Each structure stands twice: as structure tokens, then as C-alpha cells.
């Protein structure tokens, strides 16, 4: 019962991201009352591996299996959990005492049964689960060996090997996690979707890079046929088809050079603005020969490039990935090697040299440039965390880009709704307009009733500092007594474990006392964010100026009588939504996760439709 008994700090943890905490609360609520497969969607760069790391706590009654689609994603999980300097649980203070970390095992052929039985978490790529192999994990453990199975990059799950594994462990709690909840073949990604964080939200919160696009269009494109005939692009579309045109453009040196030169120019500009950040271009090629040709073209233009693809020997791949990490290149040209799971935050310009049919594949490659560079490394967020996607117009990617364009537009306008202005009339009437919101517990509250809440991140840091100082003083005392270095190290190690365990238990008691308050506080924050997000999306959808005042007349009969015609449009929508929620739900100070889900369902299923009808003028 490791995951039920180990003290962890999740709700109220400021080192965790809001989408991670919200998703965790939804996962906990879901599996408390159902064993139905669940699906969580978090955009790339938001902390999906971190969510996987915290998901079992308080939920799983036994061992956990994490399934990844390949080595790159498996290594990403390993980096989050195994490597000490990147250990997620310790670095985010989810776990105070490193001795409390779960026992981890990467499954391989030479793993012993005794090692399997002793673990808390087993992680593996899906190929190790194929029952046709004698040493498959499915041939070595019973069906009830795992209490929870987490599927990373869940859009792969409908495939046969994945389904075979999930069917075998069908008594376990099954959680699917993905950044791209759609497949190119139209097959539905499994699991009940219990949570989805939108890309626009995490862009606004600066968890990921912003996105912009440059589509390059040649002045005049023609195609020389094998028999010497020259076709205009219009003639080519009539005689051939759109796919033929797209492939021809993708493989054209002339068209590629336009993208290459532009991407190099933009990289140069970026490095002039922020010379201390090792920004790079990620170039997506059609195949290995195409990648090698792009390497030649980039090199001719003076850019230092590296080619990476799956046909390279493992040692060469490892060397090239290491060179990328050491910033020995300006351009990384890849063939399917920088999809899901690959994490290099300095990829800031995506140069696309191939067409994509699947939104999933397109989203995966865009995801590689989404990962944000930490604020302590950059010159300015608007410069260094503002990714650029470049492609030739005739590759036919505009439709795929539209998804990201819409999310980017929403994110760019988000501040307009978050900075709601209060008019002088509203201020004069503040007690009657907003005072009720506090006293009667409406959803938007403007004070914090949890004044006795403890900052557990601060308590963690204080405890670590205190322990470090105590051990340092003890070391000095023992040295003065003439102890040998080896004996001192052994004594301090034992003392450190003892003190750390005691402090962990003390913090756990404090945290469990305050946990309901922290949870309600977080739920309240999440709900306010959702109301703001819905209001913003509607303003964007209906092209309404957030700071205009024309919406008051449309909503006047449903607003509190104290609201004035001068109230800004964004404020009108927020007040209208809160008024509706207040009328429908009660006891807003005491919202739990299940009630939050009901509010969300009401917002999506009913209230959003009513809002659209009013904005359309059809009510």
C-alpha cells in the first residue's frame, strides 16, 4: 500500500503546475467511484511526465505499470523519476524524504522475478509487452500484479499490442495520458475524458512557448515533367492531384531553400536579440535521403547542422543527441526522431519540409518547439519563448496550423479578460454588488478566508535548511572530538535519515490537517480560471471588444440590478456566468472535486449554449 501510505504534498504545492494539480484531483475523484478507463489531455511541455509521477498517490492500492510507446518516451519517464538531479518528487517537494521515494524498475529481459515483486513502479516501452515474446512482461506476471496502469502518449493505445496489454491487466485502474488526443486513422483514443487543459491556457500562463507562423509562398511555381513538359501549378493540380503537388514542393531544392534561408535569417535575428540562449532550428524531413539533402543545403548556407534518424546505429544516435545537448549545432534535421517524448527546450524555430495528413503527427512535431526555456535563462519571454513555425504554402499545412492559430489568438487576448476594470459606479456600489459574493459564497470571491493556511513549500525549505545546519554542526563537533572522516559520514548518514523521517512525518501531519482547505482553495482558483477562459473564448468567437460596453443591453435582464451599463464586456460575461452559477449551485465555499466537475458540465453542456444564443441575438 505504498501509494496510499506515503506522505506526499500535492494540493497547495506551488512547485506543481496548476494543470497538474487539477488533473490529479480529477483522477483521484474518478477512480474513487469508478474503474472505467480514464483519459487526461495535457499539452506538450505542460508537465505530463510530472503528472504521471504523482497520479498513483492516494489512488493505487498496489504496484503501478507505466507503458510508453518507445525508447525516447521511456527515457523521458526515467529522467523524471530516476535521475537524482532531475528527480521530480524531490525537486517539486512532493516527497520530503528521499528515502520515501518509490522503488522503480525499468523492465528488461534480464529483470529477476524477485526484483519485479519488490518494486512500486515498473516502466517499459510497449514492445516489451508483446505476448509472442517468451520474456514478455505479460508472460511473467499475473493479471492482478498491477493495481494501476498508466499509458503515456495514449493516442497509441488502440493499436493491437497496447490493447492486448490493457486487456490482460483489465482489473487495474487504467489511466491514459496524452498531449494529442486524436489519431490519423480516425480511431477513438480510449478512456473517458476526465480532464483536458487547452493549449491557450498554458500559453497564457507561460508554461509553454508562444507560437507564431510564417508561410512562404513562391512567386511562380512550375513543374518540369520527365518528358520535358512544363506545368504551371494550376495545370499540375488539374492533371495530377494536390498530394502530387505537395510532394513535389517538399522535394524541390528551390522551395526548400526559401524556407532554409528564412529560418537561418530568423535564427540569426533571435541570437542577436538574445545572444546567451542557444536557440536552434528543428527541420522536419520526409525521409533519410531528404534529410541528407537538407543537411547539404543548410551547410551550403553556412549553418551547422546535425541529422538524426532511426536507421543510425545506437551509438551514433547517442553521440548526436549529446552534441545537440552540448549546443554543437544550429539546426537539427530529423526524420521521425523528435516526436513524442523528446525534450530539448532550445528548439525554437520549426522549419517544416514535409506535408502532414494527420493533425496528430503535425501536433507532435509542433510540440517539440513548445517547451519553454526557464525565465532565469532568457532575455525576455516575448523573445526567447516565442516559437516560430515556417513552411512553404504549397505543402498544404494551413488547415493543420489553424488549430494552433486559434489557440494562439485566444492566448494572446487572455490578459484582456483577466484584467477586469472596475468603474467608479461599481466601486460606489461595491458592498451591494460584490459584498454578497463573499457573504453568500458566490463563485467569485475577492478575499481569502484561509488566512491560517500554511505555506508548505516554505516549510519544506525551512526544514531542509534546518536539517543541513544541524548535520553541519554535528560534523564540526565530531571532527573536534577526533572522529575519522568515514565514521563521521556513517554517523551523519544515520542521523540525517532519522531526522528527515521525523520531519517528514511532522509535515505530513500538518499537511493532512490543512489538506481540505488547500483543496477547496485550489478548486476555487480553477473555477475562476475556467469562467475567465470561457468568457474569453466567446469574446474571440464573436469578435467582441473585451473593453467595449455593448454587451450590457444583451444581458441586462439576467444581471444583478446594481450592474451599470458602463460595465465592460468581459465583466458582463463573467458576472452573468457567476449569477447563473449562484442561482443553480449553493455552498460555493465548500466545492469539492465532484461538484467542480458538475459545474464544468453545466458550463459546457447548458450555459455555453445559452451564452451563444444571447450573443447571436436569438434569445
Amino acid at each position: 500500500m505504498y501509494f496510499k501510505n506515503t506522505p506526499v504534498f500535492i494540493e497547495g504545492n506551488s512547485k506543481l503546475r496548476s494543470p497538474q494539480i487539477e488533473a490529479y484531483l480529477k483522477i483521484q475523484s474518478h477512480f474513487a467511484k469508478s474503474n472505467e478507463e480514464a483519459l487526461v489531455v495535457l499539452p506538450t511541455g505542460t508537465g505530463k511526465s510530472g503528472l504521471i509521477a504523482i497520479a498513483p498517490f492516494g489512488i493505487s492500492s498496489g504496484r503501478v505499470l507505466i507503458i510508453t510507446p518507445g525508447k525516447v518516451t521511456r527515457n523521458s519517464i526515467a529522467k523524471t523519476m530516476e535521475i537524482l538531479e532531475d528527480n521530480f518528487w524531490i525537486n517539486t517537494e512532493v516527497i520530503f524524504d528521499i528515502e520515501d521515494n518509490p522503488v522503480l524498475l525499468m523492465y528488461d529481459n534480464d529483470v529477476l522475478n524477485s526484483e519485479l515483486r519488490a518494486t512500486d513502479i515498473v516502466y517499459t516501452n510497449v514492445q516489451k509487452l508483446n505476448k509472442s515474446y517468451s520474456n514478455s512482461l505479460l508472460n511473467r506476471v499475473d493479471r492482478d500484479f498491477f493495481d494501476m496502469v498508466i499509458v503515456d502518449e495514449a493516442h497509441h493505445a488502440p493499436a493491437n499490442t497496447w490493447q492486448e496489454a490493457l486487456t490482460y491487466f483489465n482489473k487495474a485502474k487504467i489511466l491514459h495520458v496524452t498531449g494529442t488526443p486524436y489519431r490519423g486513422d480516425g480511431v477513438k483514443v480510449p478512456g473517458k475524458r476526465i480532464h483536458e487543459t487547452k493549449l491557450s491556457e498554458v500559453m497564457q500562463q507561460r508554461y509553454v512557448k508562444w507560437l507564431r507562423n510564417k508561410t512562404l509562398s513562391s512567386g511562380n511555381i512550375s513543374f518540369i515533367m520527365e518528358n520535358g513538359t512544363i506545368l504551371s501549378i494550376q495545370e499540375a493540380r488539374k492533371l495530377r492531384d494536390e498530394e502530387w503537388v505537395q510532394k513535389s514542393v517538399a522535394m524541390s531544392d528551390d522551395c526548400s531553400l526559401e524556407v532554409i534561408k528564412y529560418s537561418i535569417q530568423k535564427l540569426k535575428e533571435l541570437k542577436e536579440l538574445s545572444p546567451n540562449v542557444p536557440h536552434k532550428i528543428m527541420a522536419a524531413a520526409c525521409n533519410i535521403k531528404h534529410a541528407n539533402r537538407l543537411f547539404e543545403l543548410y551547410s551550403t548556407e553556412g549553418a551547422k547542422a546535425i541529422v538524426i534518424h532511426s536507421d543510425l546505429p545506437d551509438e551514433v544516435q547517442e553521440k548526436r543527441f549529446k552534441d545537440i545537448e552540448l549546443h554543437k549545432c544550429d539546426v537539427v534535421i530529423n526524420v521521425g526522431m523528435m516526436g513524442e517524448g523528446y525534450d530539448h527546450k532550445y528548439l525554437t524555430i520549426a522549419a517544416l519540409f514535409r506535408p502532414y495528413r494527420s493533425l496528430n503527427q503535425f501536433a507532435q512535431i509542433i510540440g517539440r518547439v513548445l517547451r519553454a526555456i526557464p525565465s532565469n535563462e532568457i532575455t525576455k519571454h516575448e523573445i526567447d519563448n516565442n516559437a516560430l513555425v515556417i513552411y512553404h504554402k504549397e505543402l498544404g499545412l494551413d488547415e493543420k496550423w489553424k488549430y494552433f492559430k486559434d489557440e494562439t489568438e485566444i492566448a494572446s487576448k487572455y490578459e484582456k479578460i483577466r484584467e477586469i476594470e472596475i468603474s467608479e459606479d461599481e466601486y460606489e456600489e461595491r458592498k451591494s454588488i460584490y459584498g454578497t459574493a463573499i457573504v453568500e459564497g458566490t463563485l467569485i470571491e475577492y478575499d481569502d478566508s484561509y488566512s491560517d493556511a500554511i505555506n508548505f513549500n516554505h516549510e519544506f525549505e525551512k526544514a531542509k535548511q534546518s536539517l543541513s545546519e544541524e548535520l553541519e554542526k554535528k560534523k564540526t563537533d565530531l571532527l573536534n572530538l577526533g572522529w575519522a572522516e568515514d565514521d563521521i559520514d556513517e554517523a551523519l548518514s544515520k542521523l540525517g535519515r532519522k531526522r528527515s523521517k521525523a520531519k517528514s512525518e511532522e509535515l505530513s501531519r500538518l499537511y493532512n490537517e490543512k489538506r481540505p482547505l488547500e483543496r477547496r482553495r485550489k478548486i476555487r482558483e480553477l473555477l475562476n480560471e475556467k469562467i475567465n477562459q470561457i468568457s474569453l473564448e466567446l469574446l474571440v468567437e464573436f469578435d467582441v471588444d473585451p473593453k467595449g460596453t455593448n454587451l450590457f443591453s444583451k444581458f441586462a435582464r439576467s444581471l444583478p440590478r446594481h450592474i451599470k451599463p458602463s460595465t465592460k464586456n468581459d465583466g458582463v460575461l463573467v458576472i452573468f456566468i457567476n449569477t447563473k452559477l449562484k442561482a443553480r449551485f449553493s455552498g460555493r465555499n465548500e466545492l469539492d472535486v465532484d461538484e467542480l466537475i458538475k459545474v464544468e458540465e453545466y458550463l459546457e453542456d447548458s450555459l455555453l449554449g445559452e451564452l451563444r444564443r444571447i450573443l447571436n441575438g436569438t434569445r
Side-chain angles (χ1 to χ4, degrees):
M1 296 286 282
Y2 165 83
F3 291 105
K4 291 286 183 73
N5 297 334
T6 300
V8 289
F9 172 33
I10 296 175
E11 296 105 323
N13 188 334
S14 63
K15 292 193 175 182
L16 294 175
R17 292 176 168 181
S18 183
Q20 291 172 324
I21 296 176
E22 182 177 5
Y24 171 78
L25 292 173
K26 300 279 187 67
I27 294 165
Q28 195 174 54
S29 172
H30 172 78
F31 285 118
K33 57 183 183 293
S34 171
N35 221 40
E36 182 182 358
E37 293 184 31
L39 171 65
V40 167
V41 181
L42 286 186
T44 299
T46 305
K48 184 161 56 67
S49 296
L51 173 64
I52 289 171
I54 64 174
F57 287 97
I59 297 170
S60 180
S61 299
R63 300 180 194 89
V64 174
L65 173 65
I66 301 172
I67 309 174
T68 70
K71 289 182 181 178
V72 175
T73 36
R74 185 193 66 190
N75 293 342
S76 177
I77 293 293
K79 183 179 178 184
T80 300
M81 299 181 181
E82 295 266 23
I83 301 174
L84 187 58
E85 60 267 25
D86 288 325
N87 187 277
F88 182 83
W89 296 299
I90 298 301
N91 289 347
T92 57
E93 298 173 350
V94 168
I95 294 175
F96 177 77
D97 187 350
I98 197 168
E99 296 292 324
D100 287 337
N101 270 10
V103 178
L104 297 162
L105 181 69
M106 182 176 75
Y107 181 74
D108 218 328
N109 295 339
D110 56 357
V111 165
L112 302 175
N113 288 338
S114 58
E115 292 175 313
L116 279 170
R117 288 192 296 271
T119 60
D120 299 308
I121 297 176
V122 176
Y123 63 96
T124 184
N125 51 303
V126 70
Q127 292 79 10
K128 301 288 185 183
L129 302 179
N130 191 327
K131 283 202 83 172
S132 62
Y133 298 122
S134 59
N135 224 18
S136 163
L137 182 62
L138 272 60
N139 293 326
R140 294 187 57 182
V141 300
D142 294 332
R143 290 175 178 272
D144 60 355
F145 191 78
F146 297 103
D147 185 67
M148 188 174 191
V149 176
I150 302 176
V151 180
D152 190 14
E153 303 296 352
H155 50 277
H156 293 281
N160 291 339
T161 305
W162 295 80
Q163 283 304 302
E164 183 179 45
L166 296 178
T167 300
Y168 187 78
F169 297 119
N170 63 358
K171 293 181 180 178
K173 305 172 184 75
I174 296 175
L175 172 65
H176 301 269
V177 184
T178 186
T180 50
Y182 27 73
R183 287 171 53 93
D185 56 11
V187 177
K188 185 180 178 183
V189 177
K192 177 184 178 182
R193 190 175 302 194
I194 61 171
H195 175 74
E196 178 173 8
T197 298
K198 293 187 177 181
L199 181 59
S200 55
E201 292 178 49
V202 293
M203 279 187 193
Q204 182 276 329
Q205 293 166 324
R206 300 192 173 192
Y207 291 147
V208 300
K209 289 188 180 88
W210 295 349
L211 268 178
R212 55 204 168 102
N213 156 258
K214 184 67 175 181
T215 304
L216 302 180
S217 180
S218 305
N220 183 31
I221 298 180
S222 56
F223 303 91
I224 302 174
M225 309 299 288
E226 191 176 5
N227 61 6
T229 303
I230 298 177
L231 298 178
S232 68
I233 194 165
Q234 294 80 11
E235 291 170 332
R237 285 194 173 105
K238 287 179 182 178
L239 292 173
R240 299 290 181 165
D241 57 29
E242 193 62 39
E243 183 177 322
W244 184 92
V245 170
Q246 291 170 5
K247 287 182 176 180
S248 299
V249 168
M251 292 182 282
S252 160
D253 281 0
D254 287 350
C255 293
S256 294
L257 273 169
E258 291 180 326
V259 175
I260 286 169
K261 290 177 180 178
Y262 190 83
S263 64
I264 292 173
Q265 174 194 333
K266 290 301 169 184
L267 181 65
K268 183 180 178 182
E269 291 174 4
L270 189 53
K271 290 192 171 186
E272 286 174 353
L273 290 168
S274 190
N276 296 322
V277 180
H279 291 288
K280 298 178 184 68
I281 297 166
M282 180 203 61
C286 298
N287 51 51
I288 294 172
K289 288 184 177 179
H290 186 221
N292 291 334
R293 181 56 182 157
L294 291 176
F295 174 84
E296 293 171 0
L297 294 173
Y298 266 111
S299 301
T300 300
E301 295 299 318
K304 190 173 178 64
I306 283 178
V307 176
I308 190 88
H309 55 76
S310 57
D311 278 10
L312 292 169
D314 288 348
E315 61 273 14
V316 176
Q317 286 185 34
E318 188 176 336
K319 169 70 166 56
R320 293 189 182 181
F321 276 126
K322 188 70 174 176
D323 286 345
I324 295 167
E325 296 299 321
L326 294 173
H327 315 307
K328 293 184 177 181
C329 64
D330 302 308
V331 185
V332 181
I333 304 168
N334 83 96
V335 185
M337 286 294 290
M338 289 193 171
E340 55 210 13
Y342 182 73
D343 173 10
H344 185 71
K345 58 198 172 193
Y346 304 109
L347 298 174
T348 307
I349 298 174
L352 309 183
F353 296 91
R354 54 157 293 182
Y356 290 89
R357 279 189 172 181
S358 158
L359 178 57
N360 172 55
Q361 294 246 339
F362 184 76
Q364 286 288 347
I365 206 69
I366 298 300
R368 296 317 103 203
V369 296
L370 275 177
R371 204 166 295 274
I373 304 168
S375 58
N376 63 334
E377 296 184 32
I378 63 175
T379 302
K380 198 172 183 182
H381 188 88
E382 292 81 352
I383 295 171
D384 296 291
N385 281 321
N386 199 349
L388 176 62
V389 180
I390 309 166
Y391 54 81
H392 199 285
K393 182 173 179 59
E394 302 306 335
L395 288 180
L397 298 177
D398 284 347
E399 185 181 343
K400 304 290 185 300
W401 170 253
K402 186 179 184 301
Y403 166 78
F404 292 94
K405 178 174 178 282
D406 292 345
E407 291 291 298
T408 303
E409 284 182 355
I410 290 171
S412 69
K413 296 179 181 179
Y414 198 94
E415 291 299 329
K416 294 179 181 178
I417 191 164
R418 290 180 62 82
E419 298 170 0
I420 295 174
E421 297 175 2
I422 300 175
S423 68
E424 291 183 3
D425 288 338
E426 286 176 274
Y427 184 78
E428 288 178 4
E429 297 288 337
R430 63 191 182 281
K431 290 185 178 178
S432 54
I433 299 174
Y434 300 113
T436 304
I438 296 170
V439 174
E440 295 186 2
T442 49
L443 288 163
I444 297 292
E445 296 173 304
Y446 299 93
D447 67 344
D448 189 346
S449 60
Y450 304 135
S451 57
D452 61 343
I454 296 172
N455 184 331
F456 284 93
N457 292 104
H458 179 62
E459 293 297 320
F460 268 53
E461 293 302 326
K462 270 193 356 185
K464 286 179 181 177
Q465 182 65 26
S466 173
L467 180 58
S468 175
E469 289 173 358
E470 181 184 355
L471 294 177
E472 193 60 37
K473 183 178 183 302
K474 190 70 174 177
K475 182 176 182 179
T476 302
D477 292 343
L478 294 176
L479 282 170
N480 291 336
L481 289 172
W483 281 43
E485 288 276 359
D486 288 348
D487 292 337
I488 290 174
D489 289 344
E490 183 179 349
L492 292 181
S493 177
K494 289 179 180 177
L495 178 62
R497 284 197 295 272
K498 182 180 178 181
R499 294 284 192 271
S500 183
K501 193 74 176 175
K503 179 54 71 173
S504 178
E505 290 172 357
E506 178 189 338
L507 288 171
S508 179
R509 284 194 299 272
L510 279 172
Y511 177 55
N512 286 332
E513 287 173 10
K514 298 295 181 183
R515 192 171 186 176
L517 303 181
E518 293 291 347
R519 179 171 292 200
R520 290 202 299 274
R521 180 209 298 271
K522 191 64 191 178
I523 289 169
R524 191 176 57 181
E525 290 174 4
L526 293 170
L527 190 52
N528 289 346
E529 287 287 335
K530 289 185 185 307
I531 292 168
N532 285 343
Q533 181 73 13
I534 286 173
S535 301
L536 172 71
E537 289 174 2
L538 288 167
L539 292 170
V540 172
E541 181 181 339
F542 289 91
D543 195 25
V544 175
D545 178 6
K547 299 308 174 190
T549 58
N550 56 303
L551 288 187
F552 177 82
S553 59
K554 288 178 176 284
F555 289 88
R557 68 178 185 174
S558 300
L559 297 174
R561 61 187 179 85
H562 307 291
I563 304 302
K564 305 296 183 182
S566 57
T567 303
K568 302 295 187 289
N569 290 333
D570 52 10
V572 167
L573 289 182
V574 169
I575 293 167
F576 174 82
I577 293 172
N578 276 293
T579 302
K580 284 286 188 177
L581 294 179
K582 179 184 175 183
R584 188 175 183 88
F585 300 92
S586 59
R588 295 286 59 82
N589 280 347
E590 303 299 323
L591 266 181
D592 63 20
V593 183
D594 291 338
E595 289 169 325
L596 173 66
I597 293 169
K598 289 177 183 176
V599 171
E600 288 179 341
E601 289 172 349
Y602 171 66
L603 283 169
E604 292 289 337
D605 298 343
S606 301
L607 193 53
L608 200 52
E610 182 179 351
L611 282 158
R612 286 196 171 102
R613 288 192 296 274
I614 295 172
L615 290 167
N616 273 320
T618 57
R619 190 184 87 165

